[in-house]
Amino acid sequence: MAKEQIQVLNALDVAKTQWYHFTAIIVAGMGFFTDAYDLFCVSLVTKLLGRIYYHVDGAAKPGSLPPNVSAAVNGVAFCGTLLGQLFFGWLGDKLGRKKVYGMTLLTMVICSIGSGLSFGHTPKSVMATLCFFRFWLGFGIGGDYPLSATIMSEYSNKKTRGAFIAAVFAMQGFGILAGGIFAIIISAAFKTKFDAKPYEEDPVGSTVPQADFIWRIIVMVGAIPAALTFYSRMKMPETARYTALVAKNTEQAAKDMSKVLQVEIQAEPQKDEGARAKPYGLFSKEFLRRHGLHLLGTTSTWFLLDIAFYSQNLFQKDIFSAIGWIPPAKTMNAIEEIYMIARAQTLIALCSTVPGYWFTVAFIDRIGRFTIQLMGFFFMTVFMFALAFPYDHWTHKENRIGFVVMYSLTFFFANFGPNATTFVVPAEIFPARFRSTCHGISSACGKLGAIVGAFGFLYLAQNKDKSKADAGYPAGIGVKNSLIVLGVMNILGFFFTFLVPEAKGKSLEEMSGENEENDINEEAGQSRSYTNRTVPYA
């Protein structure tokens, strides 16, 4: 059995980079493009939702989402994502990667459209239906994490596996960038057609009725890239590692990979399954001994990283407002405000988020996952503390550009660092029969961190003076102290990284210990064969 598996899987490990590798990156990557677009586009439209549905006559500032509504709109997708990661991760190991892969995309398409069609005219009905569809949108997005990572790792060769998995994840950067660019285009088009006075001059007229179409169009457009790749996902063959190591069908694995690699791979018929030692389970002492610390490393680092990453990303518009990079809301109309927020997000994505992802793609197979993750956590800590301790200095008008540069560098080293590597590593170090499940558990812990960032820092970053906090929010610890807390999270992430092994240049079976299991099974088979021959003479 082991010989056939090694022959098929070795062919994948040593295969030269071919067109099918890039096809797999595009098919899996477009899912992540959509994931990022759908998750982060909400940060572009929350201010607009507040103006449209929560306007208060006579208020000095435009309407804003109440704390509980804002927390729900920002965080409900993450709750769905967390559950989707656990469910589809488990399902991917039970039914196979391919069978489950299309379900996630279909869920994302339907719920993206549903989010934009949120019905009703009262704030309560619109927000309730928006949250409902965003929860299930998150559920579909959640499934994309373990399945895309596992499929890409199992398709890749040893030499460039890290870069291929990281390239799939790097499509997130383009998704965030696309969200910002599309919001700029749509808001500029609406502003040209439906211009209005600023809020301070005309509180009611500053939000034109047509603004309600803007946020709906922005959230629905996320369905397009997902729908375009659905057919391609359905045509992908099951990964050879699932077929050979989990489904135990080496003949089918060889047949599938012969087509994909366009080379002839021979496979002998299956041998006696009774000769195989019983494999250990996910909740066994053996798994705990072999991979317990690895799982602790992947879950803890992803959890700590996402607290910092998502709290920054979701509330960067508020930080930009705090330092005056986005003008006060009352000096703009509703469409101008979404334009300014989108412009700021696009600039950050263009200058730091996208380059950071692709630096990881370029260097991950040269300097390794471990080094990149340590470096990323280290520099994120440095730049967050550099922002936090002299925070009053950065709030002065003449220092705003410096603040934005420092803030961008924290994003750069998040993406040329743990935001990419925490996605890559769980797809490489666990056995094939647990790979999707363990990636799902790791990424779900990440989303738990994102929920802490989305819900917790919404309140934590409020001004210490209650009178200066956003409407309806209690006093917090301020942006300065929040950045210090995030810096401490990064320090912890740095140390938990030491629990995670380096996978650079090694086969998946070598990392997971499956070669060792195959050897044990082969010995068991030989032993049984010898026993069967000697019994008649006893």
Side-chain angles (χ1 to χ4, degrees), residues 29 97 129 274 389 392 441 450 474 492:
R97 291 55 162 130
T129 50
F389 290 114
D392 294 335
I441 293 168
L492 292 172

Side-chain angles (χ1 to χ4, degrees), residues 3 75 159 176 184 258 353 364 373 393 397 401 498:
K3 287 177 181 176
K159 189 177 179 182
I176 295 169
I184 288 172
S258 293
T353 307
I364 192 167
Q373 188 159 310
H393 165 81
K397 192 171 183 178
I401 299 300
F498 287 93

Side-chain angles (χ1 to χ4, degrees), residues 354-369:
V354 172
Y357 280 124
W358 290 98
F359 263 71
T360 301
V361 174
F363 290 103
I364 192 167
D365 288 311
R366 297 183 188 182
I367 62 178
R369 294 85 165 125

Side-chain angles (χ1 to χ4, degrees), residues 144 267 505:
D144 228 39

Side-chain angles (χ1 to χ4, degrees), residues 280 286-302 373 422 425-426 428-431 438-439 441-442 496-502 506 510-513:
Y280 61 87
E286 185 65 14
F287 178 86
L288 191 65
R289 182 183 71 80
R290 288 172 179 251
H291 299 292
L293 286 177
H294 298 163
L295 190 59
L296 176 61
T298 58
T299 52
S300 59
T301 51
W302 208 334
Q373 188 159 310
T422 52
V425 173
E428 299 181 301
I429 63 175
F430 299 107
C438 288
H439 196 287
I441 293 168
S442 302
F496 274 106
T497 297
F498 287 93
L499 297 176
V500 181
E502 176 59 72
K506 297 177 181 177
E510 184 182 352
M511 285 305 304
S512 64

